[in-house]
Amino acid sequence: MWEPVQVPFVNSEPLPPLPTTSEIHACTNILGETTLGQKTATKIVAVNDKIVVKYGTCVETWEGQALVLLERHAPKIPAPRLYKMYQEDQEVFLIMRRVPGVQLDSIWSSLAASEKDDIINKLRDICEKMRKVECPIPNFYGSLDGGGLHAFLFRNINDYRKYLGPFFSESDFVAGLVGNYRALIDRDKHQSPNYKAAFYEKYMFRVLEGHRSVLTHGDLQQKNIMIVENKSGLNSDGGRSFDVVLVDWESAGWFPEYWEFFIASWTLSFHWEDEWSWRAQEFLPVFPAELAVLQQIDRDMGV
């Protein structure tokens, strides 16, 4: 199993000049922000054209660990390079190379058909490369730092600060998912009769079995896909070509191969009247039966 790096962590040379904590807090070029009470839960700031920093009380070191693993063991997968990771006053700081370009959702509707095809082809190539990365442990299901699965259906019902896992077989993965639903029923018996939990426990395995554990981004929606025009080349129809980089790896892990499309098509990400909901199946493998079962347990859990 790959060994996570120690925190604080500083990447190997060469590095650009890195900002101090004071400079990060003072930065006004805010790319994204969420708050929790009076504190910054997550903030993303562009310090300059080379450095972006993600920090806050809800930023987790496992996202930084994922970026280090990708750089060292899957360098062909385009992701931000982590320069430095540290914790100070309950805030975690991830100082990264700033990915050029724009979020795909900000430009998708304005692209020509050949440009969209070019991006879909690039995404297909990236996803195929991800599925070829060998998991360090056979039948391992967990995060890229070797811990639990950082996905909403695996957030511990009895302690939302924790995640279930890791698991060392697909059957244990499914049992963990169903067991979390059972824990919800046991906690809030008025929500649903126990017969449904018993049904899941008996039959869920029939659908969610026989799949490989594969490297999974875990939140592959348009806002986490950065694109930048490749000035040195054109697409196959003579139009603009783009380079593609995946960002926001906090939900990454080793999941069953059906998981990526399930998360990508999650209610908050997909709008079925939009073209993107159809084009996604061109670069992600689709498992219709598994998708239906996961969507059902997602609705039942209401998380």
Side-chain angles (χ1 to χ4, degrees), residues 245-260:
V245 178
L246 305 185
V247 299
D248 197 357
W249 288 81
E250 64 178 302
S251 300
W254 302 101
F255 286 85
E257 52 195 328
Y258 53 74
W259 192 263
E260 194 84 89

PDB file of all heavy atoms in Angstrom, residues 245-260:
ATOM      1  N   VAL A 245      -8.107  19.353 -17.457  1.00  0.00           N
ATOM      2  CA  VAL A 245      -7.544  18.993 -16.153  1.00  0.00           C
ATOM      3  C   VAL A 245      -8.701  18.799 -15.171  1.00  0.00           C
ATOM      4  O   VAL A 245      -9.631  19.607 -15.138  1.00  0.00           O
ATOM      5  CB  VAL A 245      -6.588  20.082 -15.623  1.00  0.00           C
ATOM      6  CG1 VAL A 245      -6.049  19.694 -14.241  1.00  0.00           C
ATOM      7  CG2 VAL A 245      -5.437  20.315 -16.591  1.00  0.00           C
ATOM      8  N   LEU A 246      -8.624  17.738 -14.372  1.00  0.00           N
ATOM      9  CA  LEU A 246      -9.636  17.491 -13.347  1.00  0.00           C
ATOM     10  C   LEU A 246      -9.176  18.085 -12.020  1.00  0.00           C
ATOM     11  O   LEU A 246      -8.038  17.854 -11.595  1.00  0.00           O
ATOM     12  CB  LEU A 246      -9.869  15.986 -13.176  1.00  0.00           C
ATOM     13  CG  LEU A 246     -10.250  15.191 -14.431  1.00  0.00           C
ATOM     14  CD1 LEU A 246     -10.561  13.745 -14.064  1.00  0.00           C
ATOM     15  CD2 LEU A 246     -11.413  15.827 -15.167  1.00  0.00           C
ATOM     16  N   VAL A 247     -10.057  18.836 -11.370  1.00  0.00           N
ATOM     17  CA  VAL A 247      -9.738  19.451 -10.081  1.00  0.00           C
ATOM     18  C   VAL A 247     -10.718  18.937  -9.019  1.00  0.00           C
ATOM     19  O   VAL A 247     -11.663  18.224  -9.324  1.00  0.00           O
ATOM     20  CB  VAL A 247      -9.791  20.994 -10.162  1.00  0.00           C
ATOM     21  CG1 VAL A 247      -8.776  21.513 -11.164  1.00  0.00           C
ATOM     22  CG2 VAL A 247     -11.192  21.479 -10.547  1.00  0.00           C
ATOM     23  N   ASP A 248     -10.482  19.324  -7.775  1.00  0.00           N
ATOM     24  CA  ASP A 248     -11.339  18.966  -6.638  1.00  0.00           C
ATOM     25  C   ASP A 248     -11.389  17.453  -6.435  1.00  0.00           C
ATOM     26  O   ASP A 248     -12.403  16.800  -6.681  1.00  0.00           O
ATOM     27  CB  ASP A 248     -12.748  19.529  -6.828  1.00  0.00           C
ATOM     28  CG  ASP A 248     -13.535  19.558  -5.517  1.00  0.00           C
ATOM     29  OD1 ASP A 248     -12.999  19.090  -4.500  1.00  0.00           O
ATOM     30  OD2 ASP A 248     -14.688  20.030  -5.518  1.00  0.00           O
ATOM     31  N   TRP A 249     -10.302  16.914  -5.898  1.00  0.00           N
ATOM     32  CA  TRP A 249     -10.157  15.469  -5.713  1.00  0.00           C
ATOM     33  C   TRP A 249     -10.489  15.025  -4.287  1.00  0.00           C
ATOM     34  O   TRP A 249     -10.076  13.949  -3.868  1.00  0.00           O
ATOM     35  CB  TRP A 249      -8.736  15.047  -6.065  1.00  0.00           C
ATOM     36  CG  TRP A 249      -8.448  15.092  -7.543  1.00  0.00           C
ATOM     37  CD1 TRP A 249      -8.120  16.196  -8.287  1.00  0.00           C
ATOM     38  CD2 TRP A 249      -8.471  13.988  -8.455  1.00  0.00           C
ATOM     39  NE1 TRP A 249      -7.944  15.839  -9.605  1.00  0.00           N
ATOM     40  CE2 TRP A 249      -8.142  14.499  -9.748  1.00  0.00           C
ATOM     41  CE3 TRP A 249      -8.725  12.621  -8.314  1.00  0.00           C
ATOM     42  CZ2 TRP A 249      -8.069  13.682 -10.873  1.00  0.00           C
ATOM     43  CZ3 TRP A 249      -8.649  11.797  -9.437  1.00  0.00           C
ATOM     44  CH2 TRP A 249      -8.326  12.337 -10.700  1.00  0.00           C
ATOM     45  N   GLU A 250     -11.247  15.787  -3.537  1.00  0.00           N
ATOM     46  CA  GLU A 250     -11.489  15.461  -2.133  1.00  0.00           C
ATOM     47  C   GLU A 250     -12.331  14.197  -1.948  1.00  0.00           C
ATOM     48  O   GLU A 250     -12.314  13.578  -0.883  1.00  0.00           O
ATOM     49  CB  GLU A 250     -12.156  16.629  -1.408  1.00  0.00           C
ATOM     50  CG  GLU A 250     -13.541  16.988  -1.894  1.00  0.00           C
ATOM     51  CD  GLU A 250     -14.152  18.115  -1.085  1.00  0.00           C
ATOM     52  OE1 GLU A 250     -14.264  17.947   0.141  1.00  0.00           O
ATOM     53  OE2 GLU A 250     -14.497  19.154  -1.669  1.00  0.00           O
ATOM     54  N   SER A 251     -13.102  13.802  -2.968  1.00  0.00           N
ATOM     55  CA  SER A 251     -13.936  12.596  -2.863  1.00  0.00           C
ATOM     56  C   SER A 251     -13.316  11.402  -3.571  1.00  0.00           C
ATOM     57  O   SER A 251     -13.979  10.366  -3.745  1.00  0.00           O
ATOM     58  CB  SER A 251     -15.323  12.869  -3.445  1.00  0.00           C
ATOM     59  OG  SER A 251     -15.972  13.913  -2.752  1.00  0.00           O
ATOM     60  N   ALA A 252     -12.070  11.522  -3.986  1.00  0.00           N
ATOM     61  CA  ALA A 252     -11.425  10.459  -4.762  1.00  0.00           C
ATOM     62  C   ALA A 252     -11.188   9.209  -3.921  1.00  0.00           C
ATOM     63  O   ALA A 252     -11.074   9.272  -2.693  1.00  0.00           O
ATOM     64  CB  ALA A 252     -10.107  10.960  -5.338  1.00  0.00           C
ATOM     65  N   GLY A 253     -11.124   8.087  -4.610  1.00  0.00           N
ATOM     66  CA  GLY A 253     -10.845   6.852  -3.909  1.00  0.00           C
ATOM     67  C   GLY A 253     -10.879   5.665  -4.849  1.00  0.00           C
ATOM     68  O   GLY A 253     -10.983   5.806  -6.073  1.00  0.00           O
ATOM     69  N   TRP A 254     -10.784   4.493  -4.251  1.00  0.00           N
ATOM     70  CA  TRP A 254     -10.925   3.231  -4.984  1.00  0.00           C
ATOM     71  C   TRP A 254     -12.354   2.757  -4.775  1.00  0.00           C
ATOM     72  O   TRP A 254     -12.726   2.334  -3.687  1.00  0.00           O
ATOM     73  CB  TRP A 254      -9.922   2.203  -4.478  1.00  0.00           C
ATOM     74  CG  TRP A 254      -8.498   2.653  -4.589  1.00  0.00           C
ATOM     75  CD1 TRP A 254      -7.711   3.153  -3.591  1.00  0.00           C
ATOM     76  CD2 TRP A 254      -7.698   2.666  -5.773  1.00  0.00           C
ATOM     77  NE1 TRP A 254      -6.463   3.480  -4.087  1.00  0.00           N
ATOM     78  CE2 TRP A 254      -6.422   3.183  -5.421  1.00  0.00           C
ATOM     79  CE3 TRP A 254      -7.908   2.270  -7.103  1.00  0.00           C
ATOM     80  CZ2 TRP A 254      -5.392   3.331  -6.332  1.00  0.00           C
ATOM     81  CZ3 TRP A 254      -6.884   2.417  -8.019  1.00  0.00           C
ATOM     82  CH2 TRP A 254      -5.640   2.931  -7.629  1.00  0.00           C
ATOM     83  N   PHE A 255     -13.165   2.871  -5.810  1.00  0.00           N
ATOM     84  CA  PHE A 255     -14.581   2.520  -5.757  1.00  0.00           C
ATOM     85  C   PHE A 255     -14.894   1.480  -6.824  1.00  0.00           C
ATOM     86  O   PHE A 255     -14.134   1.307  -7.785  1.00  0.00           O
ATOM     87  CB  PHE A 255     -15.449   3.754  -6.032  1.00  0.00           C
ATOM     88  CG  PHE A 255     -15.528   4.755  -4.915  1.00  0.00           C
ATOM     89  CD1 PHE A 255     -14.554   5.734  -4.768  1.00  0.00           C
ATOM     90  CD2 PHE A 255     -16.586   4.741  -4.015  1.00  0.00           C
ATOM     91  CE1 PHE A 255     -14.635   6.671  -3.753  1.00  0.00           C
ATOM     92  CE2 PHE A 255     -16.675   5.668  -2.994  1.00  0.00           C
ATOM     93  CZ  PHE A 255     -15.697   6.642  -2.865  1.00  0.00           C
ATOM     94  N   PRO A 256     -16.052   0.801  -6.715  1.00  0.00           N
ATOM     95  CA  PRO A 256     -16.488  -0.055  -7.815  1.00  0.00           C
ATOM     96  C   PRO A 256     -16.646   0.758  -9.092  1.00  0.00           C
ATOM     97  O   PRO A 256     -16.975   1.950  -9.053  1.00  0.00           O
ATOM     98  CB  PRO A 256     -17.832  -0.603  -7.335  1.00  0.00           C
ATOM     99  CG  PRO A 256     -17.785  -0.469  -5.852  1.00  0.00           C
ATOM    100  CD  PRO A 256     -16.969   0.759  -5.575  1.00  0.00           C
ATOM    101  N   GLU A 257     -16.446   0.134 -10.227  1.00  0.00           N
ATOM    102  CA  GLU A 257     -16.388   0.849 -11.496  1.00  0.00           C
ATOM    103  C   GLU A 257     -17.684   1.553 -11.881  1.00  0.00           C
ATOM    104  O   GLU A 257     -17.681   2.428 -12.741  1.00  0.00           O
ATOM    105  CB  GLU A 257     -15.953  -0.102 -12.607  1.00  0.00           C
ATOM    106  CG  GLU A 257     -16.750  -1.382 -12.702  1.00  0.00           C
ATOM    107  CD  GLU A 257     -16.069  -2.430 -13.556  1.00  0.00           C
ATOM    108  OE1 GLU A 257     -15.370  -2.072 -14.522  1.00  0.00           O
ATOM    109  OE2 GLU A 257     -16.218  -3.630 -13.241  1.00  0.00           O
ATOM    110  N   TYR A 258     -18.795   1.225 -11.233  1.00  0.00           N
ATOM    111  CA  TYR A 258     -20.056   1.910 -11.531  1.00  0.00           C
ATOM    112  C   TYR A 258     -20.211   3.220 -10.773  1.00  0.00           C
ATOM    113  O   TYR A 258     -21.110   4.007 -11.057  1.00  0.00           O
ATOM    114  CB  TYR A 258     -21.258   1.001 -11.206  1.00  0.00           C
ATOM    115  CG  TYR A 258     -21.262   0.426  -9.798  1.00  0.00           C
ATOM    116  CD1 TYR A 258     -21.564   1.216  -8.691  1.00  0.00           C
ATOM    117  CD2 TYR A 258     -20.959  -0.912  -9.587  1.00  0.00           C
ATOM    118  CE1 TYR A 258     -21.556   0.690  -7.409  1.00  0.00           C
ATOM    119  CE2 TYR A 258     -20.950  -1.449  -8.305  1.00  0.00           C
ATOM    120  CZ  TYR A 258     -21.260  -0.640  -7.221  1.00  0.00           C
ATOM    121  OH  TYR A 258     -21.260  -1.162  -5.951  1.00  0.00           O
ATOM    122  N   TRP A 259     -19.343   3.491  -9.797  1.00  0.00           N
ATOM    123  CA  TRP A 259     -19.554   4.607  -8.884  1.00  0.00           C
ATOM    124  C   TRP A 259     -19.402   5.965  -9.568  1.00  0.00           C
ATOM    125  O   TRP A 259     -20.150   6.909  -9.274  1.00  0.00           O
ATOM    126  CB  TRP A 259     -18.585   4.504  -7.710  1.00  0.00           C
ATOM    127  CG  TRP A 259     -18.912   5.431  -6.584  1.00  0.00           C
ATOM    128  CD1 TRP A 259     -18.372   6.668  -6.328  1.00  0.00           C
ATOM    129  CD2 TRP A 259     -19.879   5.210  -5.552  1.00  0.00           C
ATOM    130  NE1 TRP A 259     -18.934   7.223  -5.213  1.00  0.00           N
ATOM    131  CE2 TRP A 259     -19.867   6.347  -4.714  1.00  0.00           C
ATOM    132  CE3 TRP A 259     -20.749   4.157  -5.254  1.00  0.00           C
ATOM    133  CZ2 TRP A 259     -20.699   6.462  -3.593  1.00  0.00           C
ATOM    134  CZ3 TRP A 259     -21.575   4.276  -4.143  1.00  0.00           C
ATOM    135  CH2 TRP A 259     -21.544   5.405  -3.329  1.00  0.00           C
ATOM    136  N   GLU A 260     -18.471   6.098 -10.493  1.00  0.00           N
ATOM    137  CA  GLU A 260     -18.193   7.403 -11.102  1.00  0.00           C
ATOM    138  C   GLU A 260     -19.421   7.957 -11.824  1.00  0.00           C
ATOM    139  O   GLU A 260     -19.757   9.146 -11.677  1.00  0.00           O
ATOM    140  CB  GLU A 260     -17.024   7.284 -12.079  1.00  0.00           C
ATOM    141  CG  GLU A 260     -16.436   8.627 -12.508  1.00  0.00           C
ATOM    142  CD  GLU A 260     -15.413   9.158 -11.517  1.00  0.00           C
ATOM    143  OE1 GLU A 260     -14.222   8.836 -11.648  1.00  0.00           O
ATOM    144  OE2 GLU A 260     -15.817   9.924 -10.604  1.00  0.00           O
TER     145      GLU A 260
END
